[in-house]
Amino acid sequence: MPNIVVLPGDGIGPEIVDEAIKVLKAADAKFGLDLNYEQDLLGGAAIDAHGVPLADSTLDKCRKADAILMGSVGGPKWDAIEAAKRPEKGLLKLRYELGLYANLRPAILYPQLADASSLKPEIVAGLDILIVRELTGGIYFGEPRGIRVLENGEKQGFNTYVYAEHEIERIARTAFEMAQKRGKKVCSVDKANVLEATVLWREVMERIAPEYPDVELSHMYVDNAAMQLVRAPKQFDVVVTGNMFGDILSDTAAMLTGSIGMLPSASLNQSGAGLYEPVHGSAPDIAGQGIANPLATILSASMMLRYSLNQSAAADAIEAAVGKVLDKGLRTADIYTEGFEKVSCQAMGDAVVAAL
Ligand code: NAD
């Protein structure tokens, strides 16, 4: 019986995760998935209960799980806490401790939502790109880091951008393998004209590429990639990049699709276990109002079925159900445009269940 640890987190997290579980239970009834759920706390909710954003007991459960389904963490209530104990640290620690080095962020524009994008429909219609972001290294984890006081009394903030060869090799392989199943193109994004860490990144990408002769490798500097993503995003198939550049570019890619509320993500480790979460944050501005879009979390649950639980038929069915609901004209507030039916978070979940 596959064991799923469910971490709703903060803000809209509990609302959207409830809808995803509802859909998973419906898929379970249809496909006999036999899933077992264990709910626990992460982020601000864990700080309130245990004084830390990720309790050791929660981490233990996650280590033993087949997959983790998460909502989102953080919010103004915990903003004043010292940096080392903030909600996001719980998530960073979870990613790091489980070795979740590969973050997969598809940016797919459902044709029904082409008008929701801020770009012209012809530039984004049919968009289907996959951003593969390295998640456990780079400047977000590099040591030394901190804020120090210089001899003249002025404060100086500092971080370290560091990548070892094995970290680049494994994310390269993930990107090439994903590309083999898609459009067979990998664009590696770096800043090799300025940063030595990414000179090595580029070298390793070149070294691994011949192992995947059916995949075409290209390179792009991150500033150009940011520009190309909004100028002609359909030129990309798989984009692979480091932690910080991936953080920024994947949010840009997210907005190409019109709503951050539509985008799922998966973070995988070498054993195939994974953490599945929507790309967006805890949206404190709309938490508790029942208006959040649960589709990113529902689609994250479907990625979980596909990548960690080997249930691609159930995953296909959930994705098709989401398409049907959009076809019917149902929209949460974030993707609503005139002429469509505005529905609540819960009604959107119910509609996906009905379409399943
Ligand atoms: P956010 O993604 O939470 O919100 C940005 C905007 O998008 C807001 O207007 C919000 O209402 C809207 N939005 C987000 N998700 C939505 C959904 N499902 N349906 C409808 N609208 C949605 O980003 P933020 O405001 O920068 O951050 C809020 C909090 O979330 C912060 O504490 C931040 O640290 C945290 N955060 C957490 C994660 C995570 O858990 N992985 C990621 C990003 C931000």
Side-chain angles (χ1 to χ4, degrees), residues 75-223:
K77 181 176 174 193
W78 304 280
D79 277 351
I81 296 178
E82 63 174 292
K85 290 186 181 160
R86 295 207 12 190
E88 294 78 2
K89 289 287 173 185
L91 178 56
L92 288 178
K93 183 172 176 192
L94 188 58
R95 288 172 177 165
Y96 189 75
E97 291 290 331
L98 297 188
L100 301 169
Y101 68 90
N103 185 219
L104 313 183
R105 291 193 179 196
I108 295 170
L109 183 66
Y110 279 80
Q112 300 92 329
L113 299 179
D115 285 340
S117 173
S118 52
L119 297 190
K120 295 184 191 116
E122 63 267 28
I123 292 182
V124 287
L127 180 75
D128 179 0
I129 60 183
L130 176 67
I131 305 225
V132 178
R133 166 187 170 197
E134 200 290 327
L135 202 58
T136 52
I139 197 165
Y140 289 2
F141 291 95
E143 298 283 349
R145 62 191 299 158
I147 298 173
R148 58 192 163 206
V149 182
L150 301 174
E151 274 176 17
N152 67 2
E154 188 189 7
K155 283 186 188 169
Q156 183 189 54
F158 60 101
N159 290 86
T160 305
Y161 195 141
V162 56
Y163 268 119
E165 278 180 292
H166 78 274
E167 293 175 297
I168 309 170
E169 280 171 15
R170 65 186 180 184
I171 197 74
R173 290 207 163 82
T174 304
F176 284 116
E177 280 161 24
M178 292 289 156
Q180 282 183 319
K181 297 181 198 143
R182 302 172 36 103
K184 301 193 167 40
K185 287 198 301 181
V186 168
C187 178
S188 169
V189 171
D190 61 38
K191 189 73 185 169
N193 50 343
V194 178
L195 299 173
E196 285 78 0
T198 71
V199 172
L200 180 66
W201 176 280
R202 193 176 277 221
E203 266 175 41
V204 175
M205 287 287 157
E206 285 290 337
R207 174 152 56 74
I208 300 295
E211 295 175 29
Y212 303 86
D214 53 334
V215 179
E216 177 196 317
L217 172 68
S218 62
H219 305 277
M220 201 178 270
Y221 295 138
V222 63
D223 41 348

Side-chain angles (χ1 to χ4, degrees), residues 40-102:
D40 213 324
L41 304 173
L42 180 71
I47 293 172
D48 290 350
H50 308 299
V52 287
L54 174 67
D56 289 344
S57 57
T58 311
L59 179 59
D60 261 4
K61 274 187 209 164
C62 291
R63 281 190 210 281
K64 291 179 197 136
D66 294 288
I68 302 156
L69 182 65
M70 199 198 109
S72 48
V73 295
K77 181 176 174 193
W78 304 280
D79 277 351
I81 296 178
E82 63 174 292
K85 290 186 181 160
R86 295 207 12 190
E88 294 78 2
K89 289 287 173 185
L91 178 56
L92 288 178
K93 183 172 176 192
L94 188 58
R95 288 172 177 165
Y96 189 75
E97 291 290 331
L98 297 188
L100 301 169
Y101 68 90

Side-chain angles (χ1 to χ4, degrees), residues 7-51:
L7 304 170
D10 310 314
I12 59 169
E15 303 164 42
I16 53 182
V17 165
D18 275 357
E19 299 312 311
I21 298 292
K22 208 192 262 176
V23 171
L24 278 174
K25 286 189 172 160
D28 201 338
K30 192 167 171 185
F31 292 91
L33 309 174
D34 204 19
L35 303 180
N36 181 54
Y37 304 94
E38 245 183 308
Q39 190 152 324
D40 213 324
L41 304 173
L42 180 71
I47 293 172
D48 290 350
H50 308 299

Side-chain angles (χ1 to χ4, degrees), residues 12 70 72-75 88 91 277 280-286 293 334:
I12 59 169
M70 199 198 109
S72 48
V73 295
E88 294 78 2
L91 178 56
E277 54 171 322
H280 59 72
S282 59
D285 53 334
I286 58 164
N293 186 345
D334 56 313

